[in-house]
Amino acid sequence: MLNRLTISELSARLIKREVSSREVTQACLDQIARVDGQIHAFISHDAADALAQADVADKAIAAGASSSQQPLLGIPVAVKDVLAVKNQPLNCGSKILGDFVSPYDATVIEKLKIAGAIVFGRLNMDEFAMGSSTENSAFGVTRNPWDTTRIPGGSSGGSAAAVAADEAIATLGTDTGGSIRQPAALCGCVGLKPTYGRVSRYGLVAFASSLDQIGPFTKDVRDCATMLNVIGGHDRRDSTSVAHAVPDYTKALDGNIKGLRLGLPKEYMIGGLDPEVKAAVDAAVKQLQSLGASVEEISLPHTEYAAATYYIIAPAEASANLARFDGIRYCARVNGADPIELYSKTRGAGFGPEVKRRIILGTYVLSSGYYDAYYLRAQKVRTLIRQDFLKAFENVDAIITPTTPTAAFKIGEKSDDPLQMYLSDVFTISCNLAGICGVSIPCGFTKSPKLPIGLQLLGKPFGEETMLKIAHAYEQSTVWHREKPAL
Ligand code: GLN
């Protein structure tokens, strides 16, 4: 069962030539054949191409390539259907792109390839990353590997489910308001949203450009650090990426968190928080204290405005970004008598209901007469939310919260009630508005049914090292990350 191992476990065996990349890749492909009919994490994958890449990696290993230079050499990594991979389809979980094929690699993909990864598969997602359940995909619903009657979270539901079901060793997703951390929590894996600017967005189809970040899903914190080492860094093709040095994030994982100060925001332990989630987070707090960290209550007073602020800013940016899907340069065009009719028919047929809702909301809050009342005011509140965090970080090294208010809900449970769906993001949204980093790690299970619960750690801007150090110390002192769904 090579597909069940982590990057670090596999990498050691690959380099010693105890196993080949072809065997590891084949193990992932076999698992997809065995379970993806139930899970539907993948929209598509090209097995022959993946094996051909594996053979190239095996040749490089035979020729003496080193894992210090190529930390992902021979490791199969699958990607969310919103990232451009040269010569592979790119649909963003939507019908509107038709048979579009990417002409170039996103920067993160280029980096994965340079690091030796086998980049394969298109992972299912909510259309244009808008959603929290992966039910808004034109390619069907993805199911939670722990209970296939439940959602895997979203929008990167395919990325989380593929790691949880051992169909890939690691995956990439994107997080605009929680789309990495929330599905990671609900599927029981590790998911990291880097600081805004840590990872280049070049080659990522934009949803809300001031919030979007690409990040990894992995089976443990060490692999998460390895992935961030590979994908992090400045890129001249993305002016919002920051020229901040990329440390070796794995070096920080020494298990020693004595004396670190953690903040527990009182605004997050609210009504609506499931008692089993609360109990798991309370137990995690005690565990962190027993490892030598101190925990104090803190306040992030503008938390209650985060969801409202996000659901103005994100749709506003989306309405502008999605204007390019007009049937002229690309897209599955539906012709009309004149250009206006062509646009409206193409967009009417191509976008699903949630994307249309966001475009309508976004266009409204940006329209003259409402711009000041909604968009401008939301931007001001966003600044207050960021200031709350910066102030809190004067006294604490990281913040701990539940990742989600409840464990995975049933498929269909919230799809008729957009507001309830939006509220499932309450704990993850502020991090994007503030531009800081966050990671979700497994911290327990509900009893019946047995569903994963996630602990969220939030770090200072470019504070991924300390955040991962804490996440790793906690993980290594607990057993949650070792549990596997019965598939
Ligand atoms: N669930 C949130 C939304 O629908 C966040 C999505 C995301 O992070 N891409 O906007």
Side-chain angles (χ1 to χ4, degrees), residues 80 129-132 154-155 174-180 207 310-311 314 358 422 425 432:
K80 185 176 181 179
M130 298 171 189
S132 311
S155 63
T174 59
D175 191 314
T176 304
S179 279
I180 292 175
F207 162 12
Y310 173 87
Y311 278 101
R358 304 286 177 110
Y422 296 172
D425 303 327
N432 303 73

Side-chain angles (χ1 to χ4, degrees), residues 2-3 10 13-15 17-31 46-61 72-76 116-118 120 169:
L2 293 172
N3 53 308
L10 285 169
R13 294 186 196 190
L14 282 162
I15 292 301
R17 297 175 71 184
E18 291 169 8
V19 297
S20 67
S21 175
R22 177 171 263 269
E23 288 167 323
V24 175
T25 305
Q26 189 62 54
C28 291
L29 295 171
D30 290 347
Q31 180 73 344
D46 182 341
D49 176 63
L51 291 169
Q53 292 183 56
D55 289 342
V56 173
D58 284 329
K59 280 208 186 94
I61 294 168
L72 299 177
L73 191 55
I75 305 287
I118 313 306
F120 83 110
I169 308 304

Side-chain angles (χ1 to χ4, degrees), residues 78-376:
V79 299
K80 185 176 181 179
D81 188 29
V82 74
L83 292 162
V85 180
K86 191 172 178 173
N87 297 332
Q88 289 190 16
L90 173 65
N91 291 98
C92 306
S94 180
K95 279 200 298 233
I96 200 161
L97 276 137
D99 54 7
F100 185 82
V101 171
S102 298
Y104 62 86
D105 280 331
T107 297
V108 289
I109 301 300
E110 218 172 74
K111 285 174 178 275
L112 287 182
K113 288 181 176 173
I114 291 169
I118 313 306
V119 179
F120 83 110
R122 307 297 305 169
L123 292 165
N124 201 18
M125 55 181 282
D126 285 301
E127 186 176 6
F128 286 100
M130 298 171 189
S132 311
S133 65
T134 317
E135 291 168 296
N136 304 332
S137 166
F139 298 90
V141 176
T142 297
R143 294 170 183 272
N144 192 311
W146 292 88
D147 176 348
T148 53
T149 67
R150 291 173 190 268
I151 57 102
S155 63
S156 314
S159 306
V163 169
D166 293 314
E167 296 171 272
I169 308 304
T171 61
L172 287 183
T174 59
D175 191 314
T176 304
S179 279
I180 292 175
R181 291 158 290 149
Q182 185 253 21
L186 302 188
C187 289
C189 44
V190 176
L192 174 114
K193 185 206 89 82
T195 303
Y196 188 77
R198 173 72 301 178
V199 175
S200 166
R201 293 180 297 108
Y202 178 78
L204 160 66
V205 179
F207 162 12
S209 309
S210 76
L211 300 160
D212 300 339
Q213 273 289 289
I214 302 164
F217 287 85
T218 55
K219 300 179 193 196
D220 68 10
V221 174
R222 180 167 299 279
D223 282 4
C224 182
T226 300
M227 289 285 284
L228 188 59
N229 282 350
V230 170
I231 64 172
H234 176 250
D235 177 11
R236 60 176 180 77
R237 294 173 297 190
D238 172 7
S239 61
T240 66
S241 73
V242 176
H244 197 287
V246 184
D248 179 350
Y249 290 105
T250 62
K251 288 240 166 76
L253 311 182
D254 58 8
N256 181 8
I257 58 166
K258 283 205 180 64
L260 285 179
R261 295 160 310 168
L262 305 177
L264 195 58
K266 62 173 186 226
E267 291 82 2
Y268 282 57
M269 294 311 223
I270 46 157
L273 182 60
D274 179 89
E276 285 184 280
V277 174
K278 181 174 186 310
V281 173
D282 287 344
V285 167
K286 292 218 175 71
Q287 181 64 18
L288 286 160
Q289 283 170 325
S290 78
L291 294 170
S294 65
V295 181
E296 61 190 84
E297 188 178 87
I298 59 163
S299 176
L300 299 167
H302 296 94
T303 299
E304 65 173 302
Y305 306 110
T309 304
Y310 173 87
Y311 278 101
I312 291 171
I313 292 174
E317 294 185 17
S319 70
N321 275 325
L322 269 58
R324 75 194 61 172
F325 300 102
D326 56 8
I328 302 296
R329 282 163 299 176
Y330 31 73
C331 300
R333 177 186 297 179
V334 182
N335 274 313
D338 54 43
I340 298 291
E341 198 182 301
L342 182 153
Y343 297 153
S344 88
K345 283 194 167 161
T346 299
R347 290 163 68 82
F351 289 136
E354 183 61 28
V355 172
K356 286 179 184 159
R357 184 179 297 123
R358 304 286 177 110
I359 293 173
I360 292 167
L361 276 172
T363 308
Y364 180 79
V365 299
L366 289 175
S367 59
S368 76
Y370 296 104
Y371 183 91
D372 288 1
Y374 292 107
Y375 185 70
L376 207 61

